[in-house]
Each structure stands twice: as C-alpha cells, then as structure tokens.
Amino acid sequence: MRAHRVGAAVIAVAAMTAGLTACSGGSDKFVVGIKFDQPGLGQKQPDGSFKGFDVDVAKYVAKELGYKDDQIQFKEAISANRESFIQQGQVNIVAATYSITDDRKKKVGFAGPYLVTGQDILTRADDTTINSVDDLKTKKVCGAQGSSSPKRLVDKFGDAWKSQYLTEQQGYGACLPLLENKQVDAISTDATILAGFATQSPGKFRLVGKPFSEEKYGIGVKLEDKETREKINKAVEKMFQDGSWKKAVDANFGEFGKFFTTPPAIERY
Ligand code: GLU
C-alpha cells in the first residue's frame, strides 16, 4: 500500500514537470502536434521539414505568441491521440485536421475555427459505383481510429455495418494502399485530406465531391487554458485579415483552394 502511494506521487510529479516543460514560454520549445502523412495539411518532407496548411497556421500562431521559428517543434499526432497529447502536456497545441466537436470540447479547448470543410469520399478513379454517402452502405470503407469520420458512418449505418465493412487504421495515409489494392472500396474523411491524396497521385483516385458534414478545424489547447486560447483566436484573426490565410490556402491546396475563398468566423465559447 505504502509503496503504491509513493509510486503514484512520483508519477504525479513527473507528469507535472512534463506539463511545465511543454507549456513555459521564453527560450523553451513550442511543441505542435500535426499530422505527418497528410499532403496539403501536415506532411513530413524527405528533408525532415514540414509542409501544409496546418503547419502554416501553427507557425503563424507560434510567431504571434512570441516564439521564433527555431523554437517550434513539430510532433506527430494521429487522430486517436490528439486529446491525450493536449491533456498530458506532450504538446502545447494541436493543429491536425482537428474538428471542433461537442465531445472533444469536454476534454480540450479549441481556438478557431481556421478552416471549414466537410466529410467526403475517395474511390479508385475507375470505380463509378460510389457517388454519395448512401452508396457506402454496401462498400468496404477505411477510416482512422479516433477520427470523427468513421464514427459518423457507424452512427448512420449501425454496428453490423461496422463489423462487416469498416477497416480502421492509425491514419488516413495507411488507408491509401488498401484502396489501391482493392482491400477497401473507399476512404471517407474530410474533403481537404482526400483532395490532398488525389492531387498527390494524379489519375489514381476520384474525390466524389458531395460533402455530408461540416468539419470546423480548431486548434486544440488545454481545456482550462482560456488565456492561450484567446491569444490564438486573435492570432488567427490577424492571419485572416493580413492576407496570410489566403496565401496559405493557395500555397497548400492548389486547385482545391478555390473552395476556400473567405475565412470562417472565430467562435468564442
Ligand atoms: N476532422 C476529422 C477529425 O477530427 C477527421 C480527420 C482526422 O481524423 O484527423 O476527426
């Protein structure tokens, strides 16, 4: 019993120290959780640098919070670990195709939104049988664990569909080879993510282009840290106003950027 209590205390102190390190400013690092496998949003480059819209937003925000470029450290976040990364202080912020949802709002705070997209479908280019979400009822679909996208389909089609038709991977990048090899017939998630995959492999895939949800991308921070949340909201508003947001849209989304003509309104809640 005694040893047990001491163990718990040590863990508590270690957790506090980790939290402090990740969150103090000045000369420290600013750790940003991003996706590493999503072209156009958050992608690790062969030279070790990072590219994408989420990356550009995070860099802008970090700068406004007083951090220099060399203080920013990108850490790979996957759909399933975004809440725990924030709660445990493993990152300062998450900017990783992170939809603001009521469930997640109970665990983390959100600044933003800084982009609004919708859930859509990616198929093989030569598959003409999938043209709307209803067509997925009898199709094998891939999604990421901890993502809101597969959850939406399970809510719609039920648990029997889930066990028969849904494959869940750690990330959407891991769904791509399954689609190519015909182990699944579709990937369903945000149109931004799917457009990035389609652009990366011209001629291979088809974006159905019939979004069936509204995904508002937010920047995740600790639930109780309202001060940082508001600072980030101000930074994002500045990014909208000074033209940097549009520049980042054009630089990262190519053709698909035409769907993002005006920035969304920040939601303070
Ligand atoms: N935006 C959705 C979400 O936050 C889907 C993309 C993802 O899983 O990153 O769950």
Side-chain angles (χ1 to χ4, degrees):
M1 181 65 192
R2 205 184 153 81
H4 200 89
R5 298 243 309 253
V6 170
V10 169
I11 290 165
V13 170
M16 274 169 64
T17 313
L20 285 174
T21 315
C23 293
S24 50
S27 61
D28 283 334
K29 294 279 181 204
F30 186 69
V31 185
V32 182
I34 58 160
K35 297 290 187 75
F36 276 18
D37 65 345
Q38 288 178 187
L41 291 148
Q43 193 182 36
K44 190 170 183 178
Q45 303 298 295
D47 68 0
S49 65
F50 300 95
K51 215 174 145 179
F53 189 74
D54 287 347
V55 172
D56 287 349
V57 171
K59 280 185 177 167
Y60 191 100
V61 164
K63 198 172 169 198
E64 289 300 307
L65 295 183
Y67 294 93
K68 300 202 171 67
D69 264 359
D70 61 5
Q71 289 179 289
I72 306 171
Q73 191 183 316
F74 290 107
K75 188 175 167 114
E76 182 171 24
I78 56 173
S79 296
N81 68 14
R82 291 173 294 191
E83 286 83 57
S84 61
F85 262 23
I86 294 167
Q87 288 174 314
Q88 295 166 6
Q90 298 199 44
V91 294
N92 293 80
I93 63 167
V94 162
T97 64
Y98 200 13
S99 296
I100 302 171
T101 69
D102 288 342
D103 272 356
R104 291 173 181 159
K105 272 182 180 172
K106 291 174 197 152
K107 297 177 183 166
V108 300
F110 285 104
Y114 60 88
L115 196 76
V116 181
T117 182
Q119 185 166 347
D120 212 314
I121 302 164
L122 192 73
T123 66
R124 286 179 294 277
D126 59 0
D127 184 344
T128 55
T129 64
I130 300 173
N131 296 296
S132 74
V133 61
D134 294 320
D135 294 330
L136 297 181
K137 201 173 174 194
T138 53
K139 298 286 182 182
K140 292 199 178 116
V141 180
C142 188
Q145 288 155 10
S147 171
S148 52
S149 313
K151 190 175 176 297
R152 181 166 286 102
L153 296 178
V154 173
D155 288 347
K156 186 174 168 68
F157 297 131
D159 281 340
W161 179 87
K162 181 182 180 182
S163 50
Q164 194 178 349
Y165 290 109
L166 182 65
T167 303
E168 288 188 283
Q169 296 290 320
Q170 289 234 320
Y172 287 98
C175 286
L176 270 187
L178 303 185
L179 180 59
E180 264 196 276
N181 301 337
K182 305 195 175 181
Q183 285 168 267
V184 300
D185 303 307
I187 304 172
S188 182
T189 186
D190 306 336
T192 42
I193 296 174
L194 302 176
F197 290 147
T199 307
Q200 184 178 249
S201 310
K204 257 191 197 161
F205 305 111
R206 178 175 62 96
L207 178 64
V208 168
K210 288 214 195 105
F212 51 91
S213 75
E214 191 179 56
E215 305 299 324
K216 296 177 178 177
Y217 285 179
I219 295 173
V221 296
K222 278 209 168 140
L223 184 61
E224 62 281 3
D225 192 356
K226 298 231 165 160
E227 203 185 311
T228 305
R229 202 202 296 182
E230 181 49 26
K231 280 186 192 161
I232 297 173
N233 277 334
K234 291 226 169 77
V236 172
E237 275 173 337
K238 190 171 167 193
M239 189 182 186
F240 292 167
Q241 282 152 17
D242 73 6
S244 306
W245 181 87
K246 188 74 185 99
K247 242 187 230 164
V249 164
D250 294 339
N252 293 298
F253 294 135
E255 252 299 281
F256 191 66
K258 65 172 182 273
F259 293 106
F260 307 104
T261 47
T262 45
I266 295 294
E267 291 175 11
R268 291 176 167 87
Y269 65 92

